[in-house]
Amino acid sequence: MAIDVGHNFFTTKEILGINLSILIALFVASLSFFFVFYSKFFKKRTPKIDEQEFERKLGEWNPEPLEKPLTELQVLNIQSPLVESGPTAEITINGKKAMNLVTLNYLGLIDNKEIEEAALAALNKYGCGSCGPRGFYGTIDVHLILEDRLKKFMQTDDAIIYSSGFATLTSIIPAFSKRGDFIFCDENVNFGLKLGTELSRSTVTFFKHNDIDQLSQILEDVKREDKRTKRKLNRRFLIIEGVYQNTGTIAHLDKIMQLKERHLFRIIMDDSNGIGILGATGRGTCEHFNIPTTSIEVIFSTMGNTLASVGGMCCGNKVLIDHQRLNSSGYVFSASLPPYLATAATASIDLIDNNPNLCAKVRQNAKAFRETWGKIKRFELIGDDIIPLIHIRFTEKIDPNDSTARLRQEKILQQIVDKVLNEHSIAITRAKYVANEKSPPPPSLVISVSAMHSTPRIVEAANIIKRVASEVSRGQKI
């Protein structure tokens, strides 16, 4: 269609284009006029203040502190003894040698000569650090060797390593679970896992510690709600630890696998305190229950407990591992693991493979400590018999929100720690939690049993700690 305007023909489309251009020009002109007019007549001008008035107001200004003053418990928690040696069988604290029942060197590999020689050779060849993330010239051949060794050891399709153990926990969960997905999480998982669930922005439901019946009920309720609301399909994850850091208990993985078949969720499991300890060959919680590691979608662990190194690792199928290489923040944005530490971890795996008796010995020592402790007034020892991470709590329960009662218990526990160290040269500690952790576990002493000591020495230490705990707590209000 065309229109005759003074013998010039314009199509309807051209006329609409001209009108639109005119409207845009008028809008821009009006906007410019408004801002000029506003700035001239209505915009507030900053009042002028003479120098004396300025100094007076500056002197009166009392900015709000960035953080509140430390509480008495926080002050107690930041006090830390000075360690002047490696975490070997004996540890030097404030210039004094003591039996090491405090570090998580479960298998005693930290000062193993073979591992030291391998790490030193790597240090001489590659230097200290990698100076770059894995995706930016931070991948060194020893990283690939370690990942290949890990996947073979854990009997999975692939493996990935991280330079930070804590970043492993907080990065993996958000890499897979997003807003709109469901997470079912044991209430006693460690702080890193809880933080990972928060960062994921998923819908998180906590169930009572190791309570399979409650977990089953929650899953049934979700299934009924799915049918009632015709909810769209989403991803669902169960977050657990193979051995719980805060309790020393083993997850009921056999029963969890039965629920998994019925409710079709994926499992993300932190096995930092299971690998190197549980199973006939030290392959962790899965081997303990005779469950193939390939049945668990994501298994990860710190390398600081049994592998004489630092950082973290994750094992699973190749698709899930490759996904982390592009989407896991702790992997993508961190400098890679120093080469000599990767070499140390590889050598540690070889030693565990060749010496499964190490895993058996640490379980034997853990059982000996627990049996020696038995039952004493006012204290309870929690966790499973063969787990070397031992928590000792008061039998008197306190209100989790009662900070005064918690401080009172923490002070008594610290008195026990100090007396055991100063009078008996045995290093133990008490559990400490970050200030912003929601619902932290009850106060407890923490004993880390290892394969570095003979069983008679472990029994002797258990008797001493038990006696001191009774002496210190006697007559005190709990």
Side-chain angles (χ1 to χ4, degrees), residues 247-312:
T247 62
T249 52
I250 303 173
H252 300 307
L253 194 58
D254 51 346
K255 297 177 181 177
I256 287 172
M257 293 305 295
Q258 294 173 13
L259 289 179
K260 182 187 178 188
E261 292 177 7
R262 192 157 68 245
H263 294 280
L264 305 178
F265 52 78
R266 297 177 175 91
I267 297 176
I268 297 178
M269 182 172 74
D270 177 2
D271 210 15
S272 296
N273 295 294
I275 293 173
I277 298 167
L278 293 180
T281 60
R283 282 165 171 79
T285 307
C286 286
E287 187 178 34
H288 177 72
F289 286 101
N290 198 29
I291 294 171
T293 50
T294 51
S295 300
I296 310 295
E297 281 74 18
V298 179
I299 301 174
F300 56 91
S301 167
T302 177
M303 294 191 292
N305 291 357
T306 55
L307 298 186
S309 187
V310 299

Side-chain angles (χ1 to χ4, degrees), residues 377-423:
K377 189 177 180 181
R378 309 193 87 175
F379 290 94
E380 62 178 345
L381 191 151
I382 63 172
D384 286 283
D385 286 350
I386 58 175
I387 298 303
L389 181 62
I390 300 170
H391 286 263
I392 302 171
R393 295 176 179 170
F394 291 106
T395 52
E396 290 94 335
K397 306 303 179 186
I398 59 173
D399 183 344
N401 299 315
D402 188 345
S403 58
T404 303
R406 185 178 189 94
L407 177 61
R408 188 167 57 244
Q409 288 196 355
E410 295 282 13
K411 283 183 173 180
I412 295 172
L413 294 177
Q414 188 61 47
Q415 290 172 23
I416 296 170
V417 169
D418 292 340
K419 187 169 183 176
V420 168
L421 176 62
N422 296 330
E423 297 184 11

Side-chain angles (χ1 to χ4, degrees), residues 180 182 226 229-236:
F182 286 174
D226 287 342
T229 61
K230 297 181 179 178
R231 185 157 37 204
K232 290 182 179 179
L233 185 66
N234 62 358
R235 289 169 292 196
R236 296 172 184 192

Side-chain angles (χ1 to χ4, degrees), residues 8 13 28 47 65 108 159 239 322 392 437 442 464 470:
N8 293 321
K13 188 174 181 181
V28 172
I239 310 294
D322 286 345
I392 302 171
E437 182 166 356
I464 291 173
S470 296

Side-chain angles (χ1 to χ4, degrees), residues 445-457:
L445 292 173
V446 181
I447 313 294
S448 176
V449 175
S450 74
M452 295 184 288
H453 303 106
S454 66
T455 302
R457 184 73 176 101

Side-chain angles (χ1 to χ4, degrees), residues 98-353:
M99 179 184 182
N100 183 2
L101 291 180
V102 69
T103 59
L104 302 181
N105 182 20
Y106 295 127
L107 301 181
L109 299 182
I110 286 293
D111 61 339
N112 179 275
K113 296 304 177 186
E114 291 181 38
I115 296 173
E116 282 184 359
E117 290 172 5
L120 186 59
L123 184 64
N124 290 330
K125 179 178 180 180
Y126 300 100
C128 276
S130 62
C131 300
R134 289 288 299 273
F136 297 91
Y137 295 95
T139 295
I140 300 171
D141 55 358
V142 290
H143 295 143
L144 302 181
I145 292 170
L146 174 55
E147 288 174 343
D148 184 68
R149 190 68 185 87
L150 280 167
K151 77 175 184 181
K152 290 175 180 175
F153 178 73
M154 293 300 295
Q155 300 171 354
T156 56
D157 294 338
D158 207 352
I160 183 173
I161 58 172
Y162 291 73
S163 55
S164 164
F166 188 76
T168 307
L169 309 183
T170 57
S171 300
I172 287 177
I173 296 172
F176 293 107
S177 188
K178 309 293 183 182
R179 191 189 300 276
D181 296 333
F182 286 174
I183 287 177
F184 309 102
C185 187
D186 188 293
E187 67 179 3
N188 262 357
V189 295
N190 62 65
F191 177 70
L193 292 180
K194 287 182 179 177
L195 182 58
T197 62
E198 290 182 21
L199 294 174
S200 73
R201 299 176 297 173
S202 304
T203 301
V204 183
T205 302
F206 290 95
F207 59 93
K208 291 180 182 178
H209 179 49
N210 247 355
D211 191 332
I212 300 301
D213 291 335
Q214 188 187 41
L215 173 60
S216 178
Q217 185 59 54
I218 290 171
L219 293 169
E220 290 292 345
D221 292 343
V222 170
K223 182 184 285 188
R224 281 193 294 270
E225 191 66 11
D226 287 342
K227 291 180 180 179
R228 188 185 70 81
T229 61
K230 297 181 179 178
R231 185 157 37 204
K232 290 182 179 179
L233 185 66
N234 62 358
R235 289 169 292 196
R236 296 172 184 192
F237 300 91
L238 176 68
I239 310 294
I240 59 171
E241 292 181 70
V243 176
Y244 288 90
Q245 179 79 25
N246 291 331
T247 62
T249 52
I250 303 173
H252 300 307
L253 194 58
D254 51 346
K255 297 177 181 177
I256 287 172
M257 293 305 295
Q258 294 173 13
L259 289 179
K260 182 187 178 188
E261 292 177 7
R262 192 157 68 245
H263 294 280
L264 305 178
F265 52 78
R266 297 177 175 91
I267 297 176
I268 297 178
M269 182 172 74
D270 177 2
D271 210 15
S272 296
N273 295 294
I275 293 173
I277 298 167
L278 293 180
T281 60
R283 282 165 171 79
T285 307
C286 286
E287 187 178 34
H288 177 72
F289 286 101
N290 198 29
I291 294 171
T293 50
T294 51
S295 300
I296 310 295
E297 281 74 18
V298 179
I299 301 174
F300 56 91
S301 167
T302 177
M303 294 191 292
N305 291 357
T306 55
L307 298 186
S309 187
V310 299
M313 65 87 170
C314 179
C315 299
N317 71 48
K318 185 169 176 53
V319 173
L320 294 179
I321 297 302
D322 286 345
H323 177 80
Q324 292 176 61
R325 297 191 193 279
L326 296 174
N327 296 279
S328 185
S329 57
Y331 179 90
V332 174
F333 298 110
S334 297
S336 60
L337 189 70
Y340 72 95
L341 290 172
T343 302
T346 302
S348 297
I349 296 171
D350 292 339
L351 274 170
I352 294 171
D353 248 353

Side-chain angles (χ1 to χ4, degrees), residues 1-12 15:
M1 177 180 173
I3 302 175
D4 184 1
V5 182
H7 303 292
N8 293 321
F9 288 90
F10 296 93
T11 65
T12 303
I15 291 173

